[in-house]
Amino acid sequence: MSRIATEARHGKAEGLDRLDPKEILTLLAMGQQEAASAVDGAVEAIAKAADLVSLTLRAGGKLVYAGAGSSGLMAMADALELPGTYGIPREQIVLLLAGGISSLTDMEGAPEDDVALAEKDAEIIAAGDCVICVSASGSTPYALAIARVAKASGARIVAMANNAGAKLFADADAAILLATPPELVAGSTRMGAGTAQKIAFNMLSTLTAVQLGHVHDGHMVNLRADNEKLRVRAARMVSEISGTGIDEAFRQMQVAGGSVKIAVLLAAGAPDADAAREALARSGGVLRPALAEFENSTGFHKRA
């Protein structure tokens, strides 16, 4: 195991427990920063993965996150955010966590090795789905079994791991290597490896959202505004994109049934919500080309 980067001993770990708290924290911070920089080398692979994910979601397939332990928690954090942040239908997002959601109160290690459990969990995967399997070591039996069954089912496979040559990469359509250095506390991959995974997940899902047309000029224009804070945020987006006043933006949001994209199109000159929906349908849900259909009626192009 010492030859595996995520299990190796860090060169500055000698005497760690004898240092004063400030020195320990400084080393821990440096470890996090080094781990974050590992993502730089994975940009091309993350872009390829985003292409696979956006293709899957656009075609109506499921995006499946699969992992165990700390890596599973990083996957879960990303999966749970997508419906609210980018309006991706919840039924298209699946989370396979070793031991199930009930394991979150204890996080026992045994389910990571349960191949039979993984095979049963993977029964939900179908051809046309995309499965993101994540494992710091790249050799977790649960993640490997999910990937094997998914591949046999005709699903696309994205593998994310922190060790070069990881078994998880063998049959992947996109292999995201996050070559993080050894942990200050050897094998504690919730630290550096987990940080790099979290960043990579953020990048992957955000790029996917951009490709699906859920981001416009840095605004999350497909968010689900289901509380007061988000309703205010949504109205501000409508106001900033369209140039209309905030009160008018709130009014358009009501007419649009809470849809930022529809409200922006109404403010840009769409005669009614149905016309706005039809324009979005023609543009594949992407706001910018839909806006072009109405720009001449209001001079919107001067503000876009």
Side-chain angles (χ1 to χ4, degrees), residues 45 48-49 52 130-131 151 154-159 169-175:
K48 183 177 181 180
L52 297 176
C130 184
V131 184
K151 191 72 172 181
R156 303 176 179 95
I157 309 297
V158 173
F169 293 148
D171 295 318
D173 297 292

Side-chain angles (χ1 to χ4, degrees), residues 211-299:
Q211 293 174 335
L212 292 173
H214 299 334
V215 177
H216 179 93
D217 287 342
H219 293 293
M220 52 179 83
V221 291
N222 211 46
L223 92 165
R224 187 179 62 208
D226 55 3
N227 65 29
E228 186 60 26
K229 178 190 74 174
L230 294 179
R231 284 188 285 271
V232 171
R233 179 182 296 169
R236 284 176 180 163
M237 281 192 276
V238 174
S239 177
E240 289 179 18
I241 296 170
S242 69
T244 192
I246 191 66
D247 291 338
E248 177 64 12
F250 271 110
R251 191 186 75 79
Q252 298 290 17
M253 280 292 296
Q254 290 180 328
V255 175
S259 167
V260 172
K261 291 180 182 180
I262 299 297
V264 169
L265 292 176
L266 288 170
D272 52 45
D274 287 339
R277 291 188 189 94
E278 291 169 5
L280 280 174
R282 288 189 291 272
S283 69
V286 182
L287 183 57
R288 198 174 299 278
L291 278 169
E293 295 192 26
F294 305 109
E295 62 179 7
N296 290 331
S297 66
T298 62

Side-chain angles (χ1 to χ4, degrees), residues 50-63:
D51 285 341
L52 297 176
V53 174
S54 58
L55 180 66
T56 296
L57 293 174
R58 193 177 289 114
K62 298 189 298 295
L63 173 58

Side-chain angles (χ1 to χ4, degrees), residues 73-232:
L73 293 179
M74 296 301 102
M76 181 180 72
D78 201 63
L80 294 179
E81 290 278 2
L82 295 186
T85 303
Y86 295 122
I88 296 173
R90 191 169 297 279
E91 59 270 20
Q92 283 188 270
I93 307 297
V94 176
L95 174 65
L96 301 181
L97 186 66
I101 300 300
S102 61
S103 70
L104 294 178
T105 57
D106 196 350
M107 292 296 291
E108 294 181 357
E112 296 187 15
D113 299 329
D114 197 331
V115 172
L117 171 65
E119 292 174 343
K120 184 176 186 303
D121 287 350
E123 290 176 358
I124 195 172
I125 300 169
D129 291 343
C130 184
V131 184
I132 305 176
C133 293
V134 58
S135 162
S137 67
S139 60
T140 304
Y142 181 88
L144 290 173
I146 293 286
R148 173 174 50 79
V149 174
K151 191 72 172 181
S153 300
R156 303 176 179 95
I157 309 297
V158 173
M160 185 185 297
N162 299 77
N163 286 304
K167 293 180 181 179
L168 195 60
F169 293 148
D171 295 318
D173 297 292
I176 300 173
L177 169 61
L178 305 170
T180 47
E183 306 286 358
L184 260 299
V185 179
S188 184
T189 53
R190 73 184 185 88
M191 298 168 64
T195 292
Q197 289 170 3
K198 178 69 170 100
I199 294 171
F201 274 125
N202 285 347
M203 293 166 63
L204 171 53
S205 56
T206 301
L207 179 55
T208 296
V210 172
Q211 293 174 335
L212 292 173
H214 299 334
V215 177
H216 179 93
D217 287 342
H219 293 293
M220 52 179 83
V221 291
N222 211 46
L223 92 165
R224 187 179 62 208
D226 55 3
N227 65 29
E228 186 60 26
K229 178 190 74 174
L230 294 179
R231 284 188 285 271
V232 171

